[in-house]
Amino acid sequence: MASIKDIAKMAGVSTATVSHVINKTRYVSPELVEKVEQAIKNADSPPKFVVRRQKKICENIHQSQNGVLLYICQYEEDNYARGVWSKLKPIMESKGYTMIRCNCNSDLEFGLVDKLLSDHVEIIGMFVSARTDEFYIQKIVRTTNIPCVVIGNEVDDVAFDRVSTDIYKAAYDCTMHFIRSGHDKIAILMGDLLKSYNNEVIRGYENALEYGGVKFKNRYILHKDSEEKKISDMLSELLDGNDNPSALLIADSEHIYRVYRYMMKRNIRCPKDLSIMCIGNEGSAPYLNPALSMAENNFEYIAEKAMDLMLDRIKELSEKDKYEAVLKKTSKILVSPKIIIRDSITGTARGPFGEKGADINMLSLTEKEMDICRMKRYTAVIVYHYIGASFMKLHEQGVRDVFDRIGITVIAVMGCQMDFSMQKKQIESLLMLEPDIMIAFPVNHTLTQEVFEEVIRTKTRLIFMGHVPDRFEGSGYVSCINVNERSNGRNIGRGLGDYLLLNHKKNIGIIRYGHQFYTTNQRDLAVEQILREEYPELRICATEVFSKDEYEKTKELLMWHPEIDGIYVSWEGPAVKVLEALHDIDREDIAVATSDLDFSVALDMAKGGCIKVLSAQQPFEEGQAAALCAANDLLGKTVPSFIAVEPVFITIENLIKSWNTIYKTKAPKEIVQALQENEQFMSE
């Protein structure tokens, strides 16, 4: 009887290679696989390890209570087959059946499976984890006369019950998530388009692009259809052009590590340079850097449905002839994947006219350019929509930080407390000073059109903060600067969603701003998108729209929906009114998530109050960006029409550090003391 050493010697390979070929524990080239299998065939008698495997299988068969079910797949290490097996085996064994897993990827393995089926009447059914192009899998399925449930891809021309992930929906949902996150250049990495699996992937991808109004581009489709075709070469061709994608959908989890390695070697930052999402399951996805977003197969539900189909067929066998049971009309069940969003995706900032947000680092000045600004003695004015808040103070500091270094003088700073007529008068009076630069926060999209049109008819360079009035259509002003509101909304939505799930709660109320204000509206939409798409376990009970009546809106919301566990509020000012209402109606058990950091919400968070999640702008950095935009324009340089500054995500754990980051100073002693006196926080 041949040993593993004998087979290795006959094949001219190592014993480790023989072991990997037999056990499918590592990839082995087709040439070596063929040598090992041929050596096994030429042996005078079956090798010991083959006999041992057959003996073990036979022992399991004889010990079965209700019968034996085979689980046939191509490779043991196949992610899909392994995931299904891990859920299917225990639930079938709990019903009294014995599950035996067999590989079928060669003549040798086909022979073993075929012998099992012919020698043992105890085998009453089989599950097949199939790939459409695998000959031996197809051969087994087509010759069987026992119930068979195909799990995964269809086997061509064979009609059996089938349970699988809805691949079309996986590709569609992933692509739509990219589009809703602001991406309009989305590439896809997939296998051979001749396979039905990839046909469904590309169909979902294309339909999502069409629905989202995004142009399809052939160069964004990467086909991994041969071993010789290197993923690194495909990615280089994709990313070295002038029209690079901002997002990549990987249609097969087997390619993940190659993509990550390529990006690391080329210093391509994920998600800043390229957001990534994958279809499939990969156990290490949460631990990659960055953690990988996926459309994950719901293996538990797939296994449950496969079990139901098999048990139905077994029941029919006891009542009818087995051939009638096998040939009965088949069922096809498609299981929706679960979208898991992690750190590998970022929302692409978009300006008021769809412009992609540029980075503040694009605005740097050389020492020579700074000297030119100093010699010109430029002047600037700042027009705020309201004044006195910490945000405005920090923003002004950021503006002055740049202007003071390059010799630009701020000659006036005004705020109108959200009063349009006052802002109009202020701008008209400031124009009499003939400033070179005006940095302005418009109060309203429509009412401010005419007064800002007056500005652009003068020599004054106009930089907008937050949003742009109607009729400008991306022209007449230098740039618009704002926080990346998609990231802002994502932070808040994910923070609130995670908090509620962690605390076994699920009901959400939304209190959002009721007027047209581009930046706030974009943030509100991003929060709701995240909660609906990424947290299907949660429920948005109701939405209230406010203008200046946040207190009453909160009481009204909870009167009709007392089951609410968490509330999103558009920004920190209204959130303070929401806190007052919650206190007055004794509902301080409700978690509140909002945007921006000031003393009142920080103190509430530090005390363990209702504020649990914040995503804050960086006003100092936004002020710097505005000043740099102005200087670059005065120097005749091209300036991006929209600049996006990333927000800071804040919970009680990083509250002190975040305060330092945003305010450029230590946190107030009241906040530090409140944290120290918060027994729940200190005990964690």
Side-chain angles (χ1 to χ4, degrees):
M1 185 176 291
S3 67
I4 192 169
K5 290 183 179 179
D6 297 329
I7 299 300
K9 186 175 181 180
M10 292 169 63
V13 299
S14 68
T15 55
T17 299
V18 176
S19 176
H20 290 313
V21 170
I22 297 303
N23 297 308
K24 299 294 186 290
T25 49
R26 196 183 72 185
Y27 171 79
V28 179
S29 69
E31 295 80 10
L32 293 182
V33 171
E34 186 177 353
K35 286 183 179 181
V36 172
E37 291 177 351
Q38 192 61 45
I40 293 172
K41 287 181 184 179
N42 294 338
D44 294 334
S45 58
K48 293 178 182 178
F49 49 86
V50 174
V51 173
R52 281 197 299 268
R53 174 176 286 188
Q54 289 175 317
K55 184 178 179 181
K56 186 175 181 180
I57 290 174
C58 289
E59 289 174 354
N60 289 336
I61 289 174
H62 295 316
Q63 293 170 4
S64 178
Q65 299 174 35
N66 294 342
V68 176
L69 301 171
L70 296 185
Y71 181 79
I72 300 174
C73 59
Q74 182 190 8
Y75 295 117
E76 285 187 15
E77 68 270 23
D78 179 81
N79 287 335
Y80 196 91
R82 187 170 61 235
V84 173
W85 172 254
S86 68
K87 302 297 182 182
L88 184 61
K89 183 176 185 288
I91 63 172
M92 293 309 304
E93 290 181 344
S94 71
K95 301 293 182 181
Y97 297 92
T98 294
M99 290 287 291
I100 296 177
R101 181 172 177 173
C102 301
N103 298 326
C104 191
N105 191 43
S106 66
D107 282 332
L108 174 66
E109 291 171 342
F110 172 75
L112 292 174
V113 173
D114 190 46
K115 184 170 177 57
L116 281 173
L117 291 170
S118 61
D119 289 354
H120 297 281
V121 295
E122 299 94 334
I123 299 175
I124 59 174
M126 64 181 177
F127 300 97
V128 177
S129 179
R131 292 175 180 251
T132 57
D133 60 341
E134 302 309 328
F135 169 75
Y136 296 105
I137 293 282
Q138 294 185 28
K139 192 173 180 180
I140 284 291
V141 173
R142 290 188 177 124
T143 57
T144 189
N145 62 356
I146 59 176
C148 176
V149 176
V150 177
I151 302 175
N153 303 332
E154 291 177 275
V155 179
D156 296 339
D157 305 323
V158 177
F160 281 104
D161 292 322
R162 179 187 173 215
V163 184
S164 182
T165 298
D166 191 337
I167 296 301
Y168 168 85
K169 191 171 189 306
Y172 183 91
D173 288 349
C174 289
T175 307
M176 283 305 302
H177 184 86
F178 278 137
I179 293 171
R180 293 191 185 106
S181 297
H183 297 278
D184 59 0
K185 296 181 179 180
I186 305 165
I188 184 169
L189 171 61
M190 53 197 303
D192 189 349
L193 282 180
L194 295 177
K195 300 177 184 178
S196 62
Y197 170 96
N198 289 307
N199 289 337
E200 290 298 289
V201 170
I202 197 68
R203 191 167 67 88
Y205 168 79
E206 289 181 349
N207 286 354
L209 293 180
E210 182 179 0
Y211 182 82
V214 175
K215 185 178 180 181
F216 174 86
K217 296 183 180 180
N218 278 320
R219 73 173 295 264
Y220 289 167
I221 311 296
L222 308 183
H223 302 184
K224 182 68 174 71
D225 50 12
S226 70
E227 288 296 328
E228 292 76 24
K229 201 167 189 178
K230 292 183 178 180
I231 286 179
S232 58
D233 293 339
M234 298 163 66
L235 291 173
S236 292
E237 187 176 344
L238 174 72
L239 300 173
D240 288 347
N242 296 323
D243 190 25
N244 294 348
S246 62
L248 173 66
L249 174 59
I250 304 173
D252 192 327
S253 59
E254 291 181 1
H255 302 325
I256 291 170
Y257 299 105
R258 292 174 186 153
V259 172
Y260 266 67
R261 276 198 302 271
Y262 175 85
M263 295 180 67
M264 182 172 64
K265 289 180 179 179
R266 295 287 297 268
N267 197 29
I268 298 171
R269 298 162 298 177
C270 176
K272 191 175 182 66
D273 299 325
L274 187 68
S275 288
I276 295 179
M277 199 167 185
C278 183
I279 297 174
N281 283 68
E282 176 52 57
S284 63
Y287 311 108
L288 294 173
N289 186 21
L292 180 65
S293 302
M294 301 192 79
E296 292 191 348
N297 301 295
N298 189 341
F299 288 136
E300 186 169 358
Y301 192 67
I302 290 171
E304 288 174 1
K305 291 300 174 184
M307 177 190 69
D308 291 342
L309 291 173
M310 180 59 72
L311 293 181
D312 286 345
R313 291 299 189 206
I314 290 172
K315 182 179 179 182
E316 291 165 6
L317 277 176
S318 64
E319 300 170 353
K320 302 178 182 179
D321 180 86
K322 66 165 61 177
Y323 291 101
E324 290 182 22
V326 171
L327 295 173
K328 185 183 175 183
K329 185 178 179 181
T330 59
S331 299
K332 180 178 179 180
I333 300 173
L334 295 179
V335 178
S336 296
K338 183 176 181 181
I339 303 298
I340 307 293
I341 303 301
R342 300 187 178 98
D343 298 335
S344 65
I345 295 179
T346 188
T348 299
R350 293 287 173 182
F353 307 102
E355 319 95 305
K356 184 177 179 180
D359 194 281
I360 188 174
N361 294 324
M362 299 178 65
L363 304 173
S364 60
L365 298 171
T366 66
E367 195 62 41
K368 183 178 180 180
E369 289 169 338
M370 292 182 186
D371 286 339
I372 293 173
C373 287
R374 294 182 188 111
M375 289 188 294
K376 294 287 186 177
R377 298 180 179 275
Y378 294 121
T379 60
V381 296
I382 307 174
V383 181
Y384 289 117
H385 45 352
Y386 62 93
I387 204 164
S390 55
F391 180 97
M392 303 311 160
K393 294 175 182 177
L394 280 167
H395 184 274
E396 183 181 342
Q397 289 175 22
V399 172
R400 291 182 182 274
D401 174 70
V402 173
F403 282 170
D404 289 349
R405 285 186 280 120
I406 61 177
I408 296 179
T409 304
V410 178
I411 56 177
V413 178
M414 292 187 176
C416 65
Q417 306 310 109
M418 300 299 288
D419 185 321
F420 156 69
S421 60
M422 182 185 294
Q423 186 172 66
K424 181 176 184 296
K425 292 176 182 177
Q426 288 175 346
I427 291 171
E428 290 171 342
S429 64
L430 289 171
L431 286 178
M432 298 176 66
L433 299 174
E434 298 184 353
D436 298 292
I437 303 157
M438 178 180 289
I439 299 171
F441 286 77
V443 168
N444 184 280
H445 275 277
T446 55
L447 298 177
T448 55
Q449 293 170 358
E450 293 182 3
V451 70
F452 283 113
E453 285 173 346
E454 289 182 33
V455 176
I456 66 172
R457 286 194 288 268
T458 69
K459 68 160 191 170
T460 301
R461 266 63 164 203
L462 182 58
I463 292 94
F464 286 121
M465 301 299 305
H467 68 110
V468 177
D470 293 344
R471 291 209 306 247
F472 276 72
E473 298 298 327
S475 62
Y477 59 95
V478 176
S479 187
C480 177
I481 291 89
N482 193 41
V483 65
N484 183 343
E485 290 291 8
R486 291 186 187 275
S487 292
N488 217 8
R490 285 169 66 87
N491 286 348
I492 299 168
R494 291 177 73 178
L496 180 58
D498 289 345
Y499 178 86
L500 292 178
L501 288 182
L502 183 64
N503 289 277
H504 310 291
K505 298 179 178 182
K506 71 173 185 176
N507 296 310
I508 300 171
I510 292 178
I511 300 177
R512 63 174 176 81
Y513 192 46
H515 295 296
Q516 184 185 10
F517 204 77
Y518 172 75
T519 56
T520 309
N521 300 155
Q522 191 180 53
R523 177 169 67 248
D524 292 344
L525 289 172
V527 171
E528 190 165 347
Q529 177 198 346
I530 291 296
L531 291 172
R532 291 190 185 280
E533 289 186 3
E534 299 181 26
Y535 297 91
E537 309 93 331
L538 304 181
R539 171 174 169 258
I540 297 177
C541 300
T543 298
E544 289 287 346
V545 177
F546 72 87
S547 54
K548 294 182 179 180
D549 49 355
E550 309 92 306
Y551 180 91
E552 293 300 329
K553 290 291 185 182
T554 304
K555 294 173 70 174
E556 184 178 335
L557 176 68
L558 291 168
M559 180 180 69
W560 293 105
H561 296 279
E563 72 276 17
I564 283 175
D565 303 303
I567 293 176
Y568 161 68
V569 192
S570 293
W571 72 90
E572 93 288 351
V576 172
K577 297 293 184 182
V578 171
L579 294 180
E580 292 175 6
L582 294 178
H583 174 75
D584 290 349
I585 61 175
D586 196 26
R587 286 302 310 273
E588 291 175 297
D589 58 306
I590 293 176
V592 175
T594 189
S595 68
D596 293 334
L597 179 70
D598 73 357
F599 179 82
S600 56
V601 294
L603 185 61
D604 182 87
M605 178 180 280
K607 289 180 176 180
C610 293
I611 299 288
K612 303 298 183 185
V613 174
L614 293 168
S615 183
Q617 299 186 58
Q618 298 193 71
F620 184 87
E621 283 74 9
E622 290 177 33
Q624 288 182 314
L628 286 168
C629 280
N632 275 273
D633 184 66
L634 289 169
L635 291 164
K637 296 169 66 177
T638 301
V639 178
S641 60
F642 182 65
I643 305 293
V645 179
E646 288 300 314
V648 177
F649 177 61
I650 305 169
T651 62
I652 193 170
E653 287 79 12
N654 70 343
L655 176 60
I656 299 300
K657 181 179 178 181
S658 298
W659 186 281
N660 297 344
T661 298
I662 293 169
Y663 283 90
K664 316 304 177 188
T665 186
K666 292 182 179 180
K669 61 181 180 180
E670 294 92 338
I671 294 175
V672 176
Q673 184 176 346
L675 271 175
Q676 294 171 344
E677 293 174 356
N678 184 339
E679 294 180 2
Q680 183 177 358
F681 173 69
M682 296 302 291
S683 64
E684 290 179 352

